[in-house]
Amino acid sequence: MSEGEVLGLLTLIAAFSAGLLAWFAIDVGTVSLARYRAYFTEHAKFKVEEFFLFIDPTRLFIANLAVMSLGALLAWIATGSALTAVPVFLALALLPRMAYAWMRKSRLKKFEEQLPDALMMLSGDLRVGLGLSLALQQVVAEAQAPLAQEFALMLREQRLGVTLEQSLNNLSRRMPTQTTTLVTAAMRIANETGGGLAETLDHTAQTIRTRLQMEGKIGALTAQGKLQAWVVGLLPIVLMAILNKMEPDAMGLLWSTRIGWASITAIIFLELMGIYTIRRIVAIDV
């Protein structure tokens, strides 16, 4: 067999192997994408319903995939390295979970802030002779989300035959905060013992209001420490961006060599540990 025939045969084998690898990668990628889509849409449906939002999870999946692809493309253009785009693409997959956690935290905080006024309103309605269901309806009519949504769901559950105790337990499960637990426990005890529910709600509202005021004071005193955590975390990134513009040749080693990648990994780990440590120090539980 001549040298040309050998080279042709090797080229054919290499092309066949490359085709098999491409088919395998496409097949694995398709299956993985389908599984990720099923997982994403299933969890997204539950999460958006928790916020009383009626959005097609498929649209959210497409939007998330577009953001991941755009972020990876921008990282590739900015650094000129495809290896940098891969972790950016994977990191952006966590963006919906972070957004959900932030929205849930904001919802719980707003619910707690609305509770004292709602309890005072309930107490006033009970004192003028209204029943608990009618008083809850009055609160739902005048309050705003999320409290109005959660109390309206309680009323719908009771119309379907759910007991007051079970509806209060469901409220505590949907809004797992210390304030909600205190309110539901007070209402449950007053309902079981036959005590004055209006007076119980007054005392509970005052306790919650005092607790929220104390949390506000602590938040104001620890705001500087929380800001310091972000300054410490963002300062090295800003310096790296400035040095990359001033000394691109020297900083290029950081993006294109194994030592540079190891250094970036160590920097990211230490930065996250520093931010976590500072935020744990300033996190004071009331």
Side-chain angles (χ1 to χ4, degrees), residues 228-278:
Q228 183 180 0
W230 288 110
V231 171
V232 170
L234 294 176
L235 185 59
I237 300 176
V238 175
L239 290 177
M240 289 172 65
I242 295 174
L243 291 175
N244 191 50
K245 292 294 183 181
M246 296 176 61
E247 297 290 341
D249 295 335
M251 291 296 294
L253 299 176
L254 193 63
W255 317 114
S256 58
T257 61
R258 294 184 179 180
I259 297 178
W261 299 336
S263 301
I264 292 175
T265 303
I267 290 171
I268 293 174
F269 174 75
L270 293 175
E271 286 291 322
L272 293 177
M273 289 300 298
I275 294 174
Y276 174 77
T277 303
I278 294 175

